[in-house]
Amino acid sequence: MTVAMDSEEDGPELAVDTETPETILMNRFNSQLVQRAIDDLPVHYRETLLLCEVEECRTRRSRKYCQSRWGP
């Protein structure tokens, strides 16, 4: 961890590193949980997520897509 020290000179301040081994592990664990939850979804919900995330599709467009494929 890097901490900025007060100095008499007006030099650049050092950045504070907020990542620790614990936060890296927790972020990785949370990512795995989300991935497992997505994997457990029915295919049409995963496709909708892809439209929203990868294709940057708006909610209205993805809703129309879902309704046309699976009904209202």
Side-chain angles (χ1 to χ4, degrees):
M1 181 166 92
T2 307
V3 179
M5 303 291 288
D6 290 334
S7 68
E8 295 177 13
E9 298 177 21
D10 288 324
E13 292 186 24
L14 299 174
V16 176
D17 185 8
T18 58
E19 281 196 336
T20 65
E22 181 182 16
T23 59
I24 292 169
L25 180 63
M26 291 302 295
N27 288 337
R28 187 174 298 151
F29 179 73
N30 288 336
S31 294
Q32 290 172 350
L33 282 177
V34 170
Q35 186 60 52
R36 276 190 231 127
I38 291 171
D39 291 342
D40 291 342
L41 289 172
V43 174
H44 60 275
Y45 289 120
R46 290 193 306 247
E47 288 176 348
T48 304
L49 282 174
L50 281 172
L51 281 174
C52 293
E53 191 64 30
V54 177
E55 300 293 331
E56 297 180 5
C57 188
R58 296 214 180 261
T59 306
R60 182 177 295 150
R61 183 175 169 202
S62 61
R63 183 172 53 234
K64 284 182 182 180
Y65 173 79
C66 290
Q67 287 173 347
S68 68
R69 291 200 52 175
W70 303 288

